[in-house]
Structure formats: structure tokens, C-alpha cells
């Protein structure tokens, strides 16, 4: 063994163009001796030995600030993974320079030191190692580009105060950038931008985590890294779902964003378990900006080979900038009264909660098209009950770039508000088309699903026009996922404002139609956010209320009722399918049977066991139009706060189930001005005009809070570009699609 280790030491040294001294050999023997025991982490080690899909040489590269524990954690990982470990400072630089790293820094100065250090790193050629880089390695771009291609880069995200305490304990007095009058905190904060540029996997370390705990978190993260890329249909056979390989037909994140709907009619979901953060990890996100929280949450779901964290950060910063969300906090949480708080989701460019997702999803889609191995153009079909349409049109007009993506929006002609209709019809662009349908939203949504499942039509569009179809409704996983962020953010805001302590529960009430917003809250809870009760609020189209109470999803003898809250005028709640997959522990066979029966018999029934699980998670209730109007009127009169009808549905139901022993967060899903006519009537004012601009001014004269939405006002002054209306039958919808394609071809 000693002979083998000496040979290995000489191999490492020769890769750097030097001969290993006796002291180098001794040091390397001490820190790299492989374990003789069988580790509890054998399965993770096996992944590293066999899974070369993502990183070429299978190194595990630890980066982070000086004092973040990379060296100690690296040694622990070497035991768990049965891999050799190298500390770059101790095992490479010091033997190479034949002096202490600190002495070299004093000798040559910071700039020269970084260059010399980077030159050494550029020579590294070893494989299958754990490598603890120096704190300053990531500052050298070329060297980091070289080393990052050799393995998975893991960032130890340790709290700055912990790092400073450890450095004081270790008596670290010479690092790059340190000097008289320079605060260590400033140095470390400056370096974060370089660490965050290179990592594939961020490990969020809690305050005062031991090295053993950090190593355990890394092991869990590495396991996720090698299993999280695959997505399957909610209707996949349970026996097939054990397969973990995209090459065998499973889809990565960008593929499911591009395709929208699974070929078997189901909805895509990640194959792996929902990522989970402990309370002490969530605590690290308190005080972060919305953009920072979004990055840390979404990178738990999206594999870096699909969207690298550096690219994801760019997308998030672009989507949630002040030009798009005229609010410093992006999604603010506003106290209403007593224990009730409104999560204001309407500060985006089109004044609804859909913007929170649709400022990101088109960026995901464009990236997916760029990665596509064919030259087809994509047509994104959208069914909207009012808000999704304008949000999709806005997002794709900004972020589709040169992808050639087309967008066609279908909305129920008499099922959206006057302002919503004006918004959509004013959209300018040769690649967009907006069509009113003489039918309801369920028809629009069902038509799109039918078109997706019509293989003959899809082949015809591809063969004749080189067009592939996709979707931007919340049936698209890339549209749903960003919504998880704002539910988690709301909780963290309550902690940050000292309303609650970390791990205290909250209740969350959401006006619900297609179940996407509610499902995002389910996922936030599964990620570790302590939501005690999820309250599902419906209007008179209360099929979900009945289902959660009886276990029977029944569309027999039900007709859609038009209300003043059109976004939840829905009977076929698409994302309920994803929830059923979740609550049945991934039983795709059962989910498939439910929806086969719904298609043929217009109802299905879940088992008593499943119903009990659902009822342990949810309270479901509904209110009628009169109750909704009363809520709008009373809240405005008493608080000066004006809410839209959807938020009023949530508030009405929340009031019934509010026991005031914890905060009640109510999702406020749209700006009241989108429903100007209805809101003005609710507070007892006449609306003699059908001119949306005059209605907007009438609202502004009330001086309500929140204030008027300027982007919405701007949209109302634009000329109409789309005025088409077609009959509510599938053949007419198909004909309109083909007509649009021919025009733009």
C-alpha cells in the first residue's frame, strides 16, 4: 500500500510538472488514504463511478470562503465516497512553492499571487478526486473554467459571521485582499460573486453546522444531482418510474418546458422526491431579496446541466427587475387587519399573479428551443380565463429572442373582463395571435389538450409548416415551478418582520380554479415551509370544494357559471392531476385510471384512504357573488383597501376559517383595476361607461390602496390589433391555428 501511495504521489506531482518530495508524499499519504470499510453512502459512490453523463472526470470540487470548512469537509467526504482527497493549498501549492501559501502571498503581492496560483491550477489533470480549492482560486477565470469542466463544483454557502469567527479562531491573517483598513466582511462579500459564478451545486449551511453535517448535506446534494434531471408523466406506469435515465425516454427540464404536455395526456413532474430544506436552511434565506430567494429555491429543482445556476441567476434578475415589477420587494406581503396578510401578486407588468411565472417561463422556453436538435418553429397555444393570456403575450414578446416562437391565445369572448380583453387585444407583434371564443374557458382548455393529443394533426403541422406545439398554461411545468417561490417568500417575510418565529405555522388561503397556485403552495409546504392549513377558496363553480369534501370529482349535470371572478370559472382543474399524483405517492396507474374515467363517465372517486390524506392537507369552501361583493365593499369602507373579486373570494372564505391563532395569508391574485366595472359596482358606484380608460380614471379618483397600476393604464391606451372571434367548436379552432400559421409562414 505504501508503495502504491508513493507512486500515486509521484503521479500527482508529475501532473504539475514537479517531483514529489518526502514531505509531500507523507502529507498526501496522510490525507488521501482510502477507507477500507463499506460506507453507508455506497449508492452515491456508485453513481460517481458509473454516471459520467454530466461532468467529464468525476471530481468533486469544493469552493467557498476561507474558513468555510472545505479542507475538513473534504476529508470526511473522502471516507464516505471512498475517493482520494486533495487540499489545494496544503497538498499542491505549498509543496510546489516549497513555502507556506501566506508567505508566497507576502512575497509576490495579491495580483501576482492570483496569477501564479491560477497557473498551477491550470495544470491539474487528476480524475475521481475530492478537491478542496483555495478561497481565492475562483477569482481566476481561466483556471476555474479548466477545473470546473473536470467535475461537480460544490459551493459551501456558509454564513459570513460563522466564517469570520472561524478565521479568528484559526488566526488567519493573510488572504488575498486583506490589508490595513480593509474589513474581512467586505472581502468575503466581494468574493461571493466569484463563488456563485462557478458552482453546480450550492449547499446551504445552517449557522454553526458541524463539518459532519455539512458533509451529509453535500452527500444528499450529490445524490440529487445525479437523479434530479428526469421528469415523467403523471400517468406513467408505476413500474416504469423506477428507471432513472433520460436516454431511455425520460425528459429533462428543458425538454418538458418545450413540450408542455406529455404524449400520454398527463402532466410532467420531476421523477425524484420534492427537494427539502430544513428550518435552519430556510433561516439562511431570511432577509434575502426576492431574486436571491428565487435562485436558491429554483436551483433545488432545476439541474445545472439544464439551466446552470449562473444562467438561472441572469434569468431571475432579468425577469424580476424593477422595470417589470414596479415594487422593490417584487411580491410584497401587506398587513390587512388583525392576523390577516395579503400576498400582493399583481405588481408585474400585466397586473396578475401569472407574471411571477411568465417573466421566467418564456426565458426557459427560449433556452429550450436553443438547445433543440431540430430547426422546427414552436407555436405556444394558450387557453386563458383572462390573466394568463396577457402575461404570456408580454413574457414571450420580451424573451423569445430569435427563437421564432409563435403564440396564439384563446379566451372566452364573454368570460373575461373588459379590461382583460382590451389588454390582450392591444398586443402588438407579428408572431402573436389573440382569438375570442364563443364558449367558456373549459372549452378553450379542453380544445388545446385535444389538439396536443391529435397525433395526425401534430404531424401535419410539422410536415407541412415545420411547426411544433407547446403550452404556456400551468400545465407546463416551467410555468408552475416559479410560483413555489412566492409562497415560501411570504413565510420568510413574516419571520423577517418578527411576526412569527422560524418554524411557527401559518395558514394560507388561495382563490382556486385550475389549481396551479394551490399546487405551488403544496410544493412549498413539502419543501419545508410550515403551512398548517391550505384553504382552497372557490366561487360558485365549486367542483373542487365538493371533491375535497366527498372524494368524488363529478362533472355530471354541472354547467359552468359565469362570475365576476373569471380566472376561477373552471370545472376541469388541470393541476389537480399533479396533486393526485403527489397524494397517491406517485401512483401513475391510479391517476391514469381517474382521468380515463373522467373522460368517459364525467366523474371519478378516490378511495377513503386518499380522501383522508387530502382532508388532512386541505380545507375547501366557496362563496357566492353576493358574499364576494359584500367583502369588496366592507374591506374598502373599513380599511381603504380595494381588492379584486378573486382576492375577495379568498378573503370571504378565509374569514370563515380564521381562528386567529396564527397568521392567515391570503393570495391576492390580480389588481382590482382589471375588474373595474365589477369592483365599482360592488362598492355602490355607477359605471355608465364601457370605456376602460374612463373606468380606470373613476377608480383612481377613489385614491384606494394599493395605488393604481401604471403598466395596466398604459396598455389601455394602445390601439386594438386583434378583434377575431370564432365559434366554440374544435374544427374552427384548428382552422384558425392553420390560418395563423399560413399568415406568418
Amino acid at each position: 500500500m505504501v508503495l502504491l501511495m508513493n507512486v500515486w504521489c509521484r503521479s500527482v506531482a508529475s501532473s504539475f510538472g514537479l517531483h514529489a518530495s518526502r514531505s509531500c508524499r507523507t502529507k498526501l499519504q496522510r490525507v488521501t488514504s482510502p477507507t477500507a470499510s463499506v460506507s453507508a453512502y455506497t449508492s452515491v459512490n456508485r453513481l460517481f463511478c458509473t454516471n459520467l453523463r454530466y461532468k467529464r472526470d468525476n471530481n468533486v470540487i469544493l469552493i467557498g470562503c476561507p474558513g468555510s470548512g472545505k479542507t475538513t469537509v473534504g476529508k470526511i467526504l473522502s471516507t464516505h465516497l471512498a475517493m482520494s482527497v486533495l487540499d489545494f493549498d496544503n497538498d499542491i501549492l505549498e509543496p510546489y512553492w516549497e513555502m507556506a501559501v501566506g508567505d508566497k502571498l507576502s512575497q509576490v503581492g495579491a495580483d501576482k499571487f492570483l496569477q501564479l496560483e491560477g497557473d498551477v491550477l491550470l495544470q491539474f489533470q487528476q480524475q475521481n478526486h475530492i478537491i478542496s480549492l483555495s478561497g481565492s482560486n475562483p477569482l481566476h477565470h481561466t483556471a476555474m473554467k479548466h477545473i470546473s469542466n473536470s467535475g461537480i463544483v460544490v459551493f459551501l454557502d456558509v454564513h459570513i459571521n460563522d466564517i469570520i469567527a472561524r478565521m479568528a479562531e484559526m488566526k488567519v491573517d493573510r488572504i488575498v485582499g486583506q490589508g490595513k483598513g480593509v474589513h474581512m466582511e467586505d472581502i468575503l462579500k466581494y468574493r461571493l460573486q466569484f463563488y456563485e459564478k462557478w458552482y453546480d451545486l450550492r449547499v446551504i449551511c445552517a449557522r454553526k453546522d458541524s463539518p459532519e453535517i455539512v458533509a451529509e448535506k453535500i452527500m444528499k446534494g450529490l445524490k440529487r444531482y445525479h437523479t434530479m434531471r428526469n421528469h415523467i408523466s403523471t400517468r406513467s406506469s408505476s413500474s416504469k418510474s423506477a428507471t432513472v435515465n433520460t436516454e431511455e425516454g425520460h425528459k429533462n427540464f428543458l425538454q418538458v418546458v418545450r413540450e408542455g404536455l406529455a404524449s400520454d395526456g398527463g402532466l410532467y413532474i420531476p421523477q425524484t422526491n420534492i427537494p427539502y430544506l430544513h428550518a435552519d436552511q430556510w433561516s439562511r434565506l431570511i432577509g434575502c431579496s426576492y431574486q436571491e430567494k428565487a435562485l436558491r429555491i429554483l436551483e433545488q429543482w432545476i439541474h445545472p446541466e439544464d439551466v446552470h445556476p449562473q444562467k438561472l441567476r441572469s434569468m431571475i434578475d432579468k425577469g424580476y427587475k424593477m422595470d417589470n415589477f414596479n415594487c422593490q420587494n417584487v411580491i410584497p406581503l401587506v398587513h390587512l387587519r388583525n392576523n390577516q396578510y395579503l400576498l400582493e401578486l399583481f405588481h408585474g407588468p400585466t397586473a396578475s399573479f401569472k407574471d411571477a411565472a411568465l417573466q421566467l417561463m418564456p426565458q426557459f422556453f427560449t433556452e429550450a428551443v436553443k438547445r433543440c436538435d431540430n430547426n422546427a418553429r414552436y407555436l405556444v397555444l394558450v387557453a386563458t380565463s383572462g390573466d394568463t393570456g396577457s402575461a404570456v403575450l408580454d413574457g414571450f414578446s420580451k424573451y423569445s429572442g430569435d427563437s421564432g416562437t409563435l403564440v396564439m391565445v384563446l379566451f372566452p369572448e364573454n368570460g373575461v373582463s373588459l379590461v382583460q380583453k382590451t389588454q390582450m387585444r392591444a398586443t402588438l407583434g407579428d408572431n402573436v395571435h389573440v382569438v375570442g371564443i364563443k364558449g367558456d374557458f373549459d372549452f378553450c382548455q379542453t380544445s388545446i389538450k385535444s389538439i396536443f393529443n391529435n397525433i395526425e394533426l401534430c404531424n401535419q403541422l410539422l410536415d407541412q409548416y415545420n411547426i411544433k406545439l407547446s403550452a404556456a398554461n400551468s400545465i407546463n411545468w416551467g410555468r408552475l415551478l416559479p410560483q413555489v417561490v412566492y409562497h415560501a417568500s411570504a413565510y420568510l417575510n413574516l419571520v423577517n418582520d418578527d411576526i412569527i418565529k422560524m418554524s411557527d405555522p401559518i395558514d394560507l388561503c388561495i382563490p382556486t380554479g385550475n389549481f396551479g397556485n394551490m399546487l405551488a403552495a403544496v410544493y412549498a409546504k413539502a419543501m419545508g415551509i410550515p403551512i398548517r392549513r391550505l384553504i382552497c377558496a372557490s366561487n360558485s363553480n365549486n367542483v373542487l370544494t365538493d371533491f375535497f369534501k366527498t372524494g368524488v370529482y363529478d362533472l355530471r349535470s354541472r354547467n359552468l357559471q359565469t362570475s365576476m371572478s373569471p380566472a376561477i370559472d373552471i370545472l376541469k382543474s388541470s393541476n389537480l392531476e399533479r396533486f393526485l399524483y403527489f397524494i397517491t405517492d406517485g401512483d401513475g396507474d391510479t391517476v391514469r385510471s381517474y382521468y380515463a374515467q373522467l373522460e368517459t363517465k364525467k366523474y371519478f372517486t378516490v378511495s377513503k384512504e386518499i380522501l383522508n390524506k387530502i382532508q388532512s392537507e386541505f380545507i375547501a369552501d366557496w362563496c357566492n357573488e353576493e358574499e364576494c361583493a359584500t367583502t369588496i365593499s366592507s374591506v374598502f369602507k373599513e380599511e381603504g383597501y380595494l381588492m379584486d373579486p378573486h382576492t375577495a373570494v379568498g378573503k370571504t372564505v378565509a374569514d370563515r376559517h380564521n381562528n386567529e391563532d396564527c397568521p392567515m395569508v391570503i393570495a391576492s391574485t390580480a389588481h382590482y383595476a382589471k375588474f373595474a366595472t365589477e369592483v365599482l359596482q360592488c362598492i355602490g358606484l355607477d359605471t355608465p361607461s364601457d370605456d376602460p380608460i374612463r373606468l380606470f380614471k373613476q377608480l383612481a379618483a377613489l385614491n384606494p390602496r394599493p395605488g393604481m397600476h401604471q403598466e395596466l393604464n398604459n396598455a389601455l391606451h394602445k390601439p386594438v390589433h386583434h378583434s377575431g372571434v370564432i365559434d366554440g367548436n374544435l374544427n374552427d379552432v384548428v382552422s384558425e391555428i392553420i390560418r395563423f400559421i399560413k399568415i406568418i409562414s
Side-chain angles (χ1 to χ4, degrees):
M1 175 62 73
V2 172
L3 176 61
L4 288 173
M5 289 304 297
N6 285 343
V7 172
W8 181 85
C9 289
R10 288 195 296 273
S11 172
V12 172
S14 66
S15 75
F16 284 86
L18 55 96
H19 299 289
S21 65
R22 180 181 299 277
S23 62
C24 177
R25 291 197 299 270
T26 302
K27 186 176 293 185
L28 286 171
Q29 288 173 20
R30 174 167 52 82
V31 299
T32 61
S33 297
T35 179
S37 62
V38 178
S39 168
Y41 299 99
T42 302
S43 62
V44 180
N45 184 43
R46 190 182 303 119
L47 281 169
F48 273 90
C49 294
T50 61
N51 192 334
L52 299 176
R53 287 181 295 160
Y54 306 137
K55 289 290 188 173
R56 187 179 65 230
D57 297 329
N58 257 13
N59 291 318
V60 179
I61 303 153
L62 305 180
I63 64 172
C65 290
S68 60
K70 301 183 296 296
T71 300
T72 305
V73 170
K75 294 175 184 178
I76 297 170
L77 286 176
S78 73
T79 301
H80 291 329
L81 290 171
M83 293 170 67
S84 300
V85 62
L86 280 172
D87 180 85
F88 192 72
D89 276 349
N90 297 335
D91 302 325
I92 303 300
L93 288 181
E94 291 192 354
Y96 181 53
W97 288 334
E98 296 184 343
M99 66 171 64
V101 170
D103 292 341
K104 188 70 171 180
L105 175 60
S106 296
Q107 181 188 78
V108 302
D111 291 343
K112 184 66 173 177
F113 177 87
L114 288 176
Q115 184 59 51
L116 293 174
E117 182 186 52
D119 289 343
V120 175
L121 186 58
L122 278 166
Q123 300 176 59
F124 191 84
Q125 301 296 332
Q126 292 297 309
Q127 301 179 13
N128 204 37
H129 283 71
I130 297 165
I131 307 161
S132 299
L133 293 185
S134 75
S136 53
N137 277 142
L139 279 66
H140 192 290
H141 177 88
T142 307
M144 277 304 299
K145 187 174 182 180
H146 164 73
I147 194 70
S148 66
N149 285 329
S150 75
I152 302 167
V153 181
V154 180
F155 170 40
L156 276 59
D157 186 355
V158 179
H159 196 284
I160 283 181
N161 290 348
D162 286 349
I163 291 172
I164 292 174
R166 291 177 190 173
M167 293 178 72
E169 184 179 338
M170 295 160 56
K171 296 182 171 57
V172 175
D173 59 359
R174 278 185 286 186
I175 68 170
V176 173
Q178 194 170 4
K180 187 177 180 180
V182 181
H183 295 288
M184 183 60 66
E185 184 175 349
D186 294 334
I187 296 172
L188 299 180
K189 286 181 177 178
Y190 172 77
R191 286 191 176 193
L192 284 177
Q193 62 183 303
F194 299 99
Y195 303 139
E196 295 195 342
K197 180 178 181 179
W198 293 109
Y199 72 87
D200 301 304
L201 174 67
R202 179 202 298 266
V203 175
I204 301 173
C205 303
R207 297 297 307 272
K208 299 182 179 179
D209 265 354
S210 69
E212 291 78 13
I213 291 175
V214 174
E216 182 180 346
K217 288 178 178 177
I218 292 173
M219 293 298 296
K220 290 178 179 178
L222 292 173
K223 185 174 182 180
R224 273 197 73 77
Y225 179 92
H226 283 289
T227 58
M228 70 184 283
R229 200 177 184 198
N230 304 308
H231 296 69
I232 57 175
S233 169
T234 49
R235 303 182 190 183
S236 295
S237 173
S238 302
S239 61
K240 294 179 182 177
S241 63
T243 307
V244 186
N245 195 326
T246 41
E247 284 78 13
E248 294 178 6
H250 296 273
K251 308 291 184 179
N252 64 43
F253 176 73
L254 291 180
Q255 286 173 316
V256 303
V257 168
R258 194 170 60 234
E259 294 180 18
L261 190 69
S263 59
D264 61 4
L267 306 184
Y268 283 119
I269 36 83
Q271 189 173 30
T272 53
N273 292 332
I274 292 170
Y276 183 83
L277 297 178
H278 294 281
D280 54 10
Q281 291 176 295
W282 282 115
S283 294
R284 289 290 316 282
L285 276 64
I286 296 169
C288 287
S289 68
Y290 188 84
Q291 293 87 337
E292 291 168 337
K293 285 181 279 193
L295 177 64
R296 286 154 178 77
I297 292 170
L298 293 179
E299 66 189 16
Q300 302 293 321
W301 295 84
I302 302 173
H303 196 283
E305 285 293 307
D306 294 325
V307 183
H308 192 270
Q310 185 183 9
K311 179 71 173 179
L312 183 58
R313 172 182 288 277
S314 174
M315 291 176 171
I316 288 169
D317 289 345
K318 189 182 298 182
Y320 296 135
K321 62 185 178 181
M322 279 291 291
D323 288 350
N324 290 333
F325 286 80
N326 191 24
C327 177
Q328 186 67 38
N329 297 327
V330 183
I331 310 289
L333 187 68
V334 177
H335 182 238
L336 183 61
R337 59 186 177 195
N338 301 325
N339 71 321
Q340 291 187 348
Y341 296 82
L342 294 175
L343 184 59
E344 291 187 343
L345 298 164
F346 49 73
H347 290 279
T350 69
S352 85
F353 78 98
K354 310 296 175 72
D355 290 321
L358 283 163
Q359 290 300 305
L360 278 187
M361 184 268 178
Q363 296 188 69
F364 295 152
F365 192 90
T366 300
E367 184 70 15
V369 172
K370 288 179 181 177
R371 304 269 194 98
C372 193
D373 57 3
N374 63 63
N375 62 353
R377 297 182 73 179
Y378 280 83
L379 170 59
V380 177
L381 292 178
V382 181
T384 182
S385 52
D387 288 332
T388 296
S390 54
V392 169
L393 293 165
D394 179 85
F396 275 93
S397 67
K398 290 175 180 173
Y399 306 120
S400 60
D402 58 0
S403 65
T405 301
L406 312 172
V407 178
M408 180 168 169
V409 173
L410 309 178
F411 71 91
E413 175 66 16
N414 297 315
V416 301
S417 77
L418 176 61
V419 173
Q420 288 174 313
K421 187 183 299 186
T422 303
Q423 237 184 331
M424 288 186 285
R425 286 183 164 168
T427 303
L428 184 62
D430 294 335
N431 66 326
V432 300
H433 189 43
V434 181
V435 183
I437 303 291
K438 295 178 182 177
D440 56 34
F441 172 77
D442 279 341
F443 169 79
C444 297
Q445 182 167 249
T446 301
S447 295
I448 287 179
K449 286 187 175 182
S450 297
I451 290 167
F452 268 92
N453 292 325
N454 187 332
I455 304 301
E456 182 179 350
L457 174 61
C458 291
N459 288 337
Q460 176 191 346
L461 294 177
L462 183 60
D463 293 341
Q464 294 185 16
Y465 307 106
N466 198 32
I467 290 288
K468 285 191 171 186
L469 300 178
S470 189
N473 292 72
S474 57
I475 60 175
N476 190 308
W477 178 245
R479 178 27 229 289
L480 177 75
L481 186 57
Q483 296 177 249
V484 176
V485 176
Y486 54 68
H487 294 303
S489 179
Y491 182 87
L492 296 172
N493 286 348
L494 287 169
V495 179
N496 188 58
D497 293 341
D498 294 325
I499 307 300
I500 57 174
K501 292 182 173 62
M502 194 69 216
S503 298
D504 287 348
I506 65 168
D507 291 337
L508 178 56
C509 183
I510 302 175
T512 307
N514 224 9
F515 208 73
N517 208 351
M518 181 60 79
L519 182 66
V522 171
Y523 289 147
K525 181 177 181 179
M527 285 190 74
I529 294 295
I531 300 171
R532 181 182 64 172
R533 297 184 301 170
L534 287 163
I535 303 171
C536 179
S538 299
N539 59 20
S540 53
N541 296 293
N542 56 356
V543 62
L544 286 172
T545 305
D546 291 345
F547 172 65
F548 288 139
K549 290 181 177 180
T550 67
V552 182
Y553 196 86
D554 194 351
L555 300 181
R556 295 171 296 183
S557 304
R558 268 193 189 270
N559 294 313
L560 192 76
Q561 299 184 42
T562 301
S563 77
M564 60 179 170
S565 48
I568 55 177
D569 286 347
I570 297 171
L571 295 179
K572 294 180 180 178
S573 298
S574 288
N575 275 291
L576 181 67
E577 181 167 345
R578 283 191 175 109
F579 174 69
L580 290 170
Y581 186 89
F582 170 81
I583 208 72
T584 59
D585 298 320
D587 188 348
D589 296 319
T590 295
V591 173
R592 187 171 62 252
S593 69
Y594 289 157
Y595 283 87
Q597 184 175 338
L598 184 66
E599 185 68 25
T600 57
K601 298 183 179 180
K602 304 300 182 186
Y603 81 99
F604 63 79
T605 304
V606 301
S607 68
K608 183 66 175 176
E609 178 186 3
I610 296 301
L611 180 59
N612 288 339
K613 289 175 71 174
I614 291 172
Q615 291 177 341
S616 70
E617 296 280 341
F618 283 96
I619 292 172
D621 206 345
W622 69 283
C623 71
N624 60 34
E625 293 286 88
E626 183 179 351
E627 292 169 318
C628 178
T630 298
T631 295
I632 293 172
S633 176
S634 63
V635 170
F636 181 62
K637 180 179 179 180
E638 296 166 16
E639 306 293 337
Y641 193 98
L642 202 51
M643 55 179 56
D644 87 293
H646 304 84
T647 307
V649 168
K651 171 79 166 74
T652 304
V653 171
D655 286 345
R656 295 180 193 158
H657 301 279
N658 191 6
N659 52 23
E660 299 194 7
D661 59 349
C662 72
M664 170 72 77
V665 175
I666 303 167
S668 183
T669 56
H671 193 276
Y672 54 83
K674 298 195 86 169
F675 307 92
T677 301
E678 295 80 1
V679 167
L680 287 166
Q681 290 172 350
C682 287
I683 61 177
L685 298 179
D686 293 331
T687 55
S689 173
D690 60 358
D691 178 359
I693 295 174
R694 290 185 62 184
L695 293 171
F696 201 89
K697 290 179 179 178
Q698 194 174 354
L699 282 171
L702 299 173
N703 195 28
R705 68 180 180 99
M708 301 302 291
H709 194 288
Q710 189 56 48
E711 283 298 312
L712 183 58
N713 184 35
N714 294 341
L716 300 181
H717 287 80
K718 295 177 181 178
V720 171
H721 293 283
H722 308 272
S723 57
V725 180
I726 62 175
D727 289 335
N729 67 72
L730 185 58
N731 289 336
D732 284 357
V733 173
V734 172
S735 297
E736 189 67 16
I737 290 172
I738 293 175
R739 190 180 75 83
F740 171 48
I741 291 172
K742 287 181 177 179
I743 291 173
I744 54 88
S745 295

